[in-house]
Amino acid sequence: MDIRRGLSDILAGSVFLVFGLAFAIGAATYEIGTPLQMGPGYFPLVLGGLLVLLGLVIVVKGLLAGEGEAIGPVPWRAMGLIAVAVVFFGATVRGLGVGPSVFVTTLLSALAGHQARIVPAVVIAVGLTALCIAIFIAALQLRLPLLGPWIGF
């Protein structure tokens, strides 16, 4: 059996397996509870189990697949922008506030595509920022600042 047959499926399934196992192992440090009285570790354990199951299905599919295509070049620019966007959001959401942090994070993520253009990226960022503010600040009333202390308002 040629391992290149479904290499992308095997790699993707392996990522799901790793994340699923990490969630399940992390959940083991919390009280699990029962389905009727769930503890804090119940949902991560179930999620981890589902990710492991999904990963196994994808790996098996990759091993049984017919001829697959080559993976191709790694989109380093896109991977870098997405990683920077996630780190930026985590580091600035309390300091800049939800509005600016979501806007910049979305803008960076939208520009990660290989055919990304600035005007559609800004439109996406404005729309997603408005949606996040409406859902998380207005509807769910999370106690995160709309504009944070770093801005000076």
Side-chain angles (χ1 to χ4, degrees):
M1 178 172 9
D2 183 14
I3 195 77
R4 275 197 68 198
R5 284 184 166 178
L7 184 60
S8 60
D9 284 338
I10 294 169
L11 292 175
S14 299
V15 169
F16 281 108
L17 281 169
V18 168
F19 277 110
L21 287 173
F23 269 91
I25 290 169
T29 63
Y30 296 104
E31 181 184 337
I32 304 298
T34 66
L36 293 177
Q37 293 193 352
M38 297 179 207
Y42 188 86
F43 184 72
L45 182 65
V46 170
L47 180 62
L50 290 173
L51 283 174
V52 167
L53 182 65
L54 181 62
L56 286 173
V57 168
I58 293 172
V59 167
V60 168
K61 177 188 172 279
L63 291 173
L64 298 176
E67 288 297 317
E69 298 177 11
I71 292 178
V74 176
W76 293 110
R77 177 178 165 262
M79 288 177 53
L81 279 173
I82 297 293
V84 167
V86 170
V87 170
F88 176 84
F89 182 80
T92 64
V93 69
R94 294 202 184 269
L96 286 177
V98 172
S101 293
V102 169
F103 179 80
V104 172
T105 300
T106 306
L107 186 64
L108 288 172
S109 300
L111 292 173
H114 66 283
Q115 294 179 339
R117 296 188 334 257
I118 190 73
V119 173
V122 169
V123 170
I124 290 169
V126 168
L128 190 59
T129 301
L131 186 64
C132 285
I133 290 170
I135 292 172
F136 296 110
I137 303 296
L140 295 176
Q141 297 180 350
L142 290 183
R143 294 190 174 172
L144 291 171
L146 183 59
L147 296 173
W150 296 352
I151 295 180
F153 289 112

